[in-house]
Amino acid sequence: MPARMRQSGGLRRMRTVQLAFYFAHARRKFWDVQVATKSPTAAEALQRIAMFYAIEDRIGGLPATHRAAVRQTDTRPLIEDFKPWLEARLLEVSKKSGLGKAIRHTINHSDGLTRFIDDGRIEIDSNTVERSIKAIGLERRTICSSAVKAAPRHGPCRSSTRQSCKTSTRGTI
C-alpha cells in the first residue's frame, strides 16, 4: 500500500521510492578481478556491460521517453541474457573468490541495476554526478587541512557553497 500524505485538504498518493543501483559499481568489481587475474569470465562480463554502455552513449541527451523505448528494444534483451549467464558462471567459480563476489554482487542487485531500463530518467551509472561533486570534497579537504587561522570554521561552508553554485550552473544537479 503506497504511503499517503495530507496536502491542501485532500489525500494524495505518494510514489514509493525504489532504489536504483549503478552498473559502474558492478563493472568496477569485474575490472578489479580482470586486472588481478586476467580472468576470461571477468573479461566477457566487461564486454557484455560495455554493450549496455554503447547503447547509453547512443541515446544520451535524448528525451526520457525515447531513452526508455530504446532501452526496451535494445538493452532489455542483453540484460535478460546477462543474468542467466552470470548464474551459470557462478556455478563454475568459488563463491569466495573475487570473481564469485563480483558475480554475486551483480546478481543480488539485479533489480536495482536494471531499473534504468524502464525509466528513461535514470542513468546507467552515477559517474557524471560523482565527478561533479568530487571537487566539493577535494576543496573542503584542502581548506580543512590548511593552516589558515582566519575563520577556520567558515572556510568549508564557503567552499561547499561555491562548489554547489558551480555544479548547479552547469546543470548537472
Side-chain angles (χ1 to χ4, degrees):
M1 179 110 179
R4 293 179 179 260
M5 67 180 273
R6 183 166 288 287
Q7 182 182 19
S8 58
L11 289 176
R12 183 183 84 153
R13 286 183 186 261
M14 289 179 51
R15 294 183 186 170
T16 56
V17 175
Q18 298 177 335
L19 290 177
F21 296 102
Y22 297 111
F23 261 102
H25 301 116
R27 180 179 60 181
R28 194 170 301 129
K29 291 180 183 304
F30 287 110
W31 175 261
D32 290 344
V33 170
Q34 173 61 20
V35 167
T37 66
K38 307 293 187 236
S39 164
T41 302
E44 185 172 347
L46 289 168
Q47 289 173 343
R48 288 173 177 253
I49 293 170
M51 290 190 287
F52 310 154
Y53 277 89
I55 295 167
E56 290 302 304
D57 286 344
R58 199 175 75 225
I59 63 174
L62 297 176
T65 54
H66 185 70
R67 288 170 40 159
V70 172
R71 288 171 177 169
Q72 290 294 322
T73 59
D74 297 358
T75 309
R76 183 175 294 283
L78 297 174
I79 296 256
E80 287 175 350
D81 289 342
F82 188 51
K83 187 176 179 184
W85 179 83
L86 286 171
E87 290 167 341
R89 301 297 78 76
L90 189 57
L91 298 173
E92 300 169 356
V93 300
S94 167
K95 292 181 180 181
K96 294 183 179 183
S97 69
L99 181 59
K101 290 177 182 178
I103 292 172
R104 268 198 342 273
H105 169 82
T106 307
I107 291 171
N108 291 341
H109 293 95
S110 62
D111 287 343
L113 286 169
T114 58
R115 192 139 351 258
F116 78 100
I117 294 173
D118 297 318
D119 189 339
R121 298 169 299 170
I122 300 174
E123 297 291 334
I124 191 170
D125 67 33
S126 61
N127 287 342
T128 306
V129 174
E130 289 176 11
R131 276 192 302 271
S132 67
I133 65 173
K134 186 175 184 180
I136 296 169
L138 290 175
E139 188 169 342
R140 181 180 295 133
R141 190 174 324 134
T142 302
I143 289 172
C144 289
S145 64
S146 68
V148 176
K149 302 238 180 195
R153 284 179 269 139
H154 300 297
C157 295
R158 279 195 306 269
S159 169
S160 293
T161 304
R162 183 171 43 250
Q163 287 298 338
S164 296
C165 291
K166 286 181 189 176
T167 304
S168 64
T169 58
R170 280 184 250 152
T172 54
I173 290 183

